[in-house]
């Protein structure tokens, strides 16, 4: 008999398990962990050598090498305050930023935008005005170019707003950049519209305090407010919240003009405020079916705060603790600035508010040095109150459980067999 051919084909290898980390990911994670450990133990002299080596890597031809170096430099800028080291190599950094903004690689362009913004936060008023002058046109071009990737455009708009906020004293230039962001409120890509509304709010927190009555009426109440009301109907949750926050800023500015407006202008402001309150009340109680539970809760909580600020005149408030010192932030404008800076700096915000005079002066923070005994007492008080809170919470749950058990027992007794 003829020999039967083996028809069993070579089986393809099984698909990779997406839940388990690949070798490359594990290596990257270990490198990131090692670098964080190096930063925590390095002194200023060794950090300077690290920064110079990373700048050399940022000028390599291979994209992956440049990206790794960029991420590490961003990590240093977020977690350390080293203006002298970065000021000594400012020309090289500017060259790297310029090349990164022109790069066709999306990740490199986004990281270069972040690098520019963090450099301005580190330098403060010293070099930021010159950086604003150098990069304003480039960032405006990238942000308004529809052929660019939406994430790159959003990063460019956010960076432009940050360097304008820190380095521009010209009200006319600030209003022009706000107008650029305003033209992108209804952009198709959510990354662009979210960045535009967030950037507009950051700049509005500065300019609305000093805006003249005529400009407030013609520019912000009659033109910008209707656009923001329309933006509240978008699907993106972040864009919606940014628009609500911006409307609250406009309403806060209008409240300062109460009793100073003419009858005609007062009617326009009154009608607009009624529309804003109605829309905020609607969003504070209703949500979109496509949102998950966390997004719905976040939207309701955010718009309740905006509604309390607009309708009831309640002042926005933020607070956080640093080295047993509580920092209080009052006013919606300061809260907007605090949120944006915290988004930029991330985990290193406490380091910057302690060491960076730009941020500590902005929020009026003065570090109170506690003695060893006072620090121990503060720590013991914190542990004591935490125990009390935990005990009260446990008793509350026990009472609730007893009530449920009693209700179930009564229900079983009422059932007839």
């Amino acid at each position: 008999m003829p020999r039967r051919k083996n028809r069993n084909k070579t089986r393809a290898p099984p698909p990779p398990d997406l839940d388990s980390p690949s070798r490359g990911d594990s290596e990257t994670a270990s490198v990131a962990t090692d670098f964080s450990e190096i930063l925590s133990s390095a002194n200023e002299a060794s950090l300077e050598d690290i920064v110079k080596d990373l700048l050399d890597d940022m000028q390599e031809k291979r994209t992956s090498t440049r990206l790794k170096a960029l991420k590490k430099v961003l990590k240093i800028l977020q977690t350390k305050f080293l203006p002298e080291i970065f000021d000594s190599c400012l020309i090289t950094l500017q060259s790297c930023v310029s090349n990164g903004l022109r790069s066709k690689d999306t990740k490199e362009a986004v990281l270069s935008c972040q690098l520019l913004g963090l450099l301005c936060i580190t330098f403060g008023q010293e070099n930021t005005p010159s950086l604003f002058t150098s990069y304003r046109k480039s960032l405006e071009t990238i942000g308004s170019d529809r052929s660019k990737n939406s994430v790159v455009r959003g990063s460019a708009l956010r960076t432009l707003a940050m360097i304008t906020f820190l380095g521009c004293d010209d009200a006319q230039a600030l209003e022009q950049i706000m107008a650029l962001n305003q033209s992108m409120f209804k952009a198709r890509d959510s990354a662009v519209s979210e960045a535009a509304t967030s950037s507009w709010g950051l700049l509005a927190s500065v300019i609305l305090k000093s805006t003249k009555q005529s400009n407030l009426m013609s520019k912000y109440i009659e033109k910008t407010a209707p656009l923001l009301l329309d933006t509240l109907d978008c699907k993106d949750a972040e864009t919606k919240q940014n628009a609500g926050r911006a409307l609250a800023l406009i309403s806060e500015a209008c409240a300062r003009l109460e009793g100073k407006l003419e009858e005609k202008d007062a009617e326009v402001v009154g009608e607009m405020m009624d529309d804003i309150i109605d829309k905020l009340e609607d969003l504070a109680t209703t949500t979109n079916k496509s949102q998950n539970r966390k997004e719905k809760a976040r939207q309701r909580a955010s718009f309740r705060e905006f509604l309390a600020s607009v309708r009831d005149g309640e002042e926005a408030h933020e607070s956080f603790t640093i080295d047993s010192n509580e920092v209080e932030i009052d006013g919606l404008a300061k809260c907007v600035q605090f949120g944006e800076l915290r988004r930029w700096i991330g985990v290193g915000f406490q380091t910057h508010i302690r060491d960076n005079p730009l941020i500590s002066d902005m929020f009026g923070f003065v570090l109170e040095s506690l003695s060893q005994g006072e620090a121990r007492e503060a720590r013991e008080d914190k542990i004591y109150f935490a125990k009390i809170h935990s005990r009260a919470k446990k008793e509350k749950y026990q009472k609730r459980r007893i009530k449920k058990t009693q209700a179930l027992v009564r229900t079983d007794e009422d059932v007839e067999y």
Side-chain angles (χ1 to χ4, degrees):
M1 290 181 66
R3 199 170 181 181
R4 190 173 181 181
K5 292 182 180 179
N6 186 7
R7 295 183 180 179
N8 292 333
K9 296 182 180 179
T10 306
R11 292 183 179 180
D17 187 3
L18 297 179
D19 295 332
S20 62
S22 63
R23 182 179 176 184
D25 293 339
S26 61
E27 289 177 356
T28 305
S30 64
V31 169
T33 306
D34 293 342
F35 186 69
S36 299
E37 293 175 357
I38 291 170
L39 285 183
S40 60
S41 60
N43 55 24
E44 191 166 343
S46 58
L47 281 170
E48 187 172 1
D49 295 334
I50 292 172
V51 170
K52 288 180 180 179
D53 292 340
L54 291 174
L55 287 177
D56 293 337
D57 291 342
M58 286 167 62
Q59 300 175 77
E60 290 288 334
K61 290 185 177 180
R62 184 175 292 181
T63 306
S64 59
T65 306
R66 296 199 303 270
L67 290 177
K68 288 179 182 178
L70 265 170
K71 290 177 182 178
K72 290 180 179 179
V73 171
L74 292 176
K75 183 77 173 177
I76 295 173
L77 284 167
Q78 286 179 327
T79 56
K80 303 285 183 181
F81 179 64
L82 305 167
E84 295 83 6
I85 292 177
F86 286 100
D87 188 38
S88 63
C89 49
L90 181 58
I91 297 174
T92 308
L93 284 166
Q94 284 183 285
S95 175
C96 294
V97 169
S98 300
N99 293 333
L101 293 177
R102 291 193 295 267
S103 175
K104 294 181 180 180
D105 186 82
T106 301
K107 291 182 180 178
E108 187 173 8
V110 171
L111 291 175
S112 299
C113 289
Q114 293 175 6
L115 174 60
L116 179 58
L118 287 171
L119 284 173
C120 292
I121 293 172
T122 299
F123 291 140
Q125 297 295 328
E126 187 175 351
N127 292 319
T128 303
S130 62
L131 290 173
F132 168 75
T133 305
S134 302
Y135 289 101
R136 176 188 172 182
K137 289 185 179 179
S138 300
L139 293 172
E140 285 179 341
T141 303
I142 294 171
S144 57
D145 188 357
R146 295 184 179 180
S147 64
K148 292 279 186 182
N149 183 282
S150 60
V151 180
V152 177
R153 292 177 63 194
S155 298
L157 290 173
R158 197 178 293 279
T159 304
L160 178 62
M162 179 53 64
I163 66 173
T164 305
F165 169 66
L166 296 175
C168 179
D169 295 329
D170 185 7
Q172 185 176 1
L174 201 148
E175 287 180 349
Q176 290 172 355
I177 294 169
M178 289 178 70
L180 173 68
N181 286 294
Q182 184 174 318
S183 65
M184 299 181 192
F185 283 172
K186 293 185 178 181
R188 292 181 180 179
D189 298 310
S190 59
V192 179
S193 59
E194 191 273 330
T197 48
S198 176
S199 302
W200 192 94
L202 175 64
L203 298 179
S205 69
V206 178
I207 200 167
L208 287 179
K209 291 182 178 180
S210 57
T211 303
K212 295 180 180 179
Q213 178 178 329
S214 57
N215 288 341
L216 186 65
M217 287 295 302
S218 61
K219 290 183 179 179
Y220 302 111
I221 296 174
E222 296 178 358
K223 294 182 179 179
T224 308
L227 283 174
L228 289 169
L229 281 171
D230 293 339
T231 308
L232 289 175
D233 295 326
C234 71
K235 294 181 179 179
D236 185 64
E238 292 291 336
T239 305
K240 194 179 294 186
Q241 289 182 21
N242 293 338
R245 195 175 293 110
L247 284 169
L249 283 169
I250 293 176
S251 303
E252 192 177 64
C254 292
R256 293 196 298 269
L257 299 178
E258 190 174 358
K260 301 178 182 178
L261 297 172
E262 297 179 1
E263 185 178 354
K264 184 179 179 181
D265 292 339
E267 289 180 1
V268 174
V269 172
E271 291 176 1
M272 182 55 64
M273 291 295 292
D274 291 340
D275 293 340
I276 292 172
I277 290 172
D278 291 342
K279 192 67 177 178
L280 293 180
E281 285 178 344
D282 183 35
L283 290 169
T285 53
T286 60
T287 53
N288 193 349
K289 292 182 179 179
S290 61
Q291 293 176 313
N292 58 39
R293 186 178 296 176
K294 186 181 286 187
E295 289 176 347
K296 289 178 180 178
R298 187 182 174 193
Q299 176 183 311
R300 286 194 291 264
S302 299
F303 281 94
R304 282 195 205 103
E305 292 178 4
F306 303 151
L307 184 62
S309 175
V310 174
R311 185 185 60 190
D312 306 327
E314 292 185 9
E315 190 176 40
H317 176 79
E318 291 273 0
S319 64
F320 62 96
T321 305
I322 170 173
D323 295 342
S324 301
N325 295 275
E326 189 171 2
V327 183
E328 304 283 343
I329 300 173
D330 296 319
L332 184 59
K334 285 292 182 184
C335 289
V336 169
Q337 296 167 12
F338 167 71
E340 195 67 23
L341 283 167
R342 189 171 56 179
R343 180 172 182 169
W344 272 90
I345 302 170
V347 294
F349 186 81
Q350 290 205 354
T351 302
H352 276 266
I353 199 170
R354 187 192 301 112
D355 302 332
N356 191 337
L358 170 74
I359 299 179
S360 58
D361 293 344
M362 189 181 298
F363 300 112
F365 173 72
V366 179
L367 184 63
E368 297 178 3
S369 57
L370 297 177
S371 64
Q372 190 173 2
E374 290 173 336
R376 185 174 60 253
E377 289 178 3
R379 209 163 38 243
E380 289 174 352
D381 289 344
K382 188 175 181 180
I383 295 171
Y384 173 72
F385 286 116
K387 286 181 178 178
I388 290 177
H389 177 71
S390 177
R391 195 179 300 130
K393 195 174 181 181
K394 188 176 180 180
E395 291 175 357
K396 180 182 177 182
Y397 285 140
Q398 285 177 347
K399 289 179 181 178
R400 188 182 297 175
R401 196 178 295 113
I402 291 169
K403 286 183 179 179
K404 284 185 178 180
T405 306
Q406 291 174 350
L408 289 171
V409 170
R410 285 196 299 270
T411 304
D412 291 338
E413 291 175 353
D414 294 338
V415 175
E416 295 180 359
Y417 295 98

